[in-house]
Amino acid sequence: MSYVKPIGVFDSGLGGLTVVSELVKRLPNENLIYFGDTGRVPYGTRSAETIERYARQDEEFLAAHSVKLIIAACGTVSSVAAHTANDLSVPFIEVVSPAVDKAVSLTKNMKIGVIGTSATVSSGTFERKICEKLPDCAVISNACPLLVPLVENGWINRDDKITKGVLERYLEPMRTAGVDTLILGCTHFPVLKDIIGDIMGEEVNLVNTGEQAAIAAEKYLTQNNLLNTKAANGTHEFYVSDRVESFSKTASILLGRDISDSVKYVDISKIGG
């Protein structure tokens, strides 16, 4: 069976493009619709009530495009407001569970680190899910609120002294604790994986939430016979809630291709919620 409806992906901004990039590599036939809520980024410093409201609006926007699957490519939404998926009529994938499964399978010394937004770390969702699978595991978490703005503003160069300095401070507790596995608990963070890898060392496993979410999506679509087998190459549409130009420039760098003609503005405040 061929299922040509698109996959819907949403995030607070650019971070969810790490999921899109992996989906394109793994499922080139699939049509994709991406919404980046750039007008309200970051989500990680908001209250739980606000995050839930934003998540519902984002989900409603994608559902209106008749998607066959919605991916919350946002660690904050996945940690704080994944329950909003209970009201959806389409399947839903969050980024926490697949990342936890991968981390649990990789750790040897039972020490797993988690970096995320303030809301993600405060929720304790990663730690709870890890300990459900590995009760004796030590989980070292640290909120990294400065990283999302750095990525959104394109401060992602491996040699950027400011970004590297910020990461060195955020990652020090992980290094001191001797974690052998580190979950990049926000989909913005894999954009900085080279710098993170340089600081943590090659012996530490880095778990890319975007990659694991894409793997979970591929598995779900395959098992449920929902893969698009008609299109040679899928179409990709991008929507943002703020300036198209700013998003297009950085997104084109992250995706390795010019997407400026595929990005449109949407007033998300007028969507349900």
Side-chain angles (χ1 to χ4, degrees), residues 36-239:
D37 197 2
T38 52
R40 303 188 295 199
V41 65
Y43 282 10
T45 57
R46 314 284 185 174
S47 68
E49 293 76 17
T50 297
I51 294 167
E52 178 177 336
R53 175 163 55 87
Y54 289 177
R56 291 188 186 281
Q57 289 177 316
D58 300 347
E59 292 159 1
E60 185 173 337
F61 171 75
L62 291 175
H65 285 76
S66 298
V67 295
K68 63 183 176 183
L69 172 69
I70 290 179
I71 302 176
C74 176
T76 299
V77 169
S78 298
S79 299
V80 178
H83 61 276
T84 57
N86 296 334
D87 298 325
L88 294 174
S89 59
V90 295
F92 176 89
I93 289 176
E94 39 82 13
V95 299
V96 173
S97 298
V100 166
D101 289 342
K102 184 63 175 180
V104 166
S105 74
L106 289 173
T107 187
K108 297 293 189 295
N109 70 359
M110 302 287 281
K111 294 180 180 179
I112 297 176
V114 178
I115 54 174
T117 65
S118 298
T120 293
V121 172
S122 295
S123 75
T125 302
F126 273 103
E127 182 172 2
R128 184 172 61 255
K129 286 181 176 288
I130 291 170
C131 291
E132 285 174 356
K133 295 178 178 295
L134 290 178
D136 297 327
C137 187
V139 182
I140 299 88
S141 302
N142 200 15
C144 307
L146 295 179
L147 297 187
V148 170
L150 287 172
V151 172
E152 289 289 325
N153 285 281
W155 292 39
I156 58 178
N157 190 286
R158 192 171 192 169
D159 298 320
D160 192 293
K161 293 181 179 179
I162 294 177
T163 302
K164 185 175 181 179
V166 170
L167 276 165
E168 285 176 340
R169 178 169 293 191
Y170 281 147
L171 294 172
E172 184 57 31
M174 313 296 162
R175 298 177 67 191
T176 300
V179 303
D180 71 350
T181 303
L182 176 63
I183 298 176
L184 310 184
C186 169
T187 51
H188 282 75
F189 297 177
V191 177
L192 305 171
K193 66 181 183 299
D194 288 340
I195 307 176
I196 295 172
D198 289 342
I199 296 171
M200 295 302 297
E202 61 182 16
E203 68 279 5
V204 176
N205 303 301
L206 301 183
V207 178
N208 181 334
T209 45
E211 178 183 25
Q212 297 308 312
I215 291 172
E218 179 181 22
K219 182 178 179 180
Y220 178 85
L221 294 175
T222 301
Q223 291 179 339
N224 290 275
N225 203 26
L226 294 175
L227 290 171
N228 184 0
T229 58
K230 286 188 176 180
N233 288 290
T235 61
H236 306 148
E237 300 177 33
F238 301 87
Y239 295 86

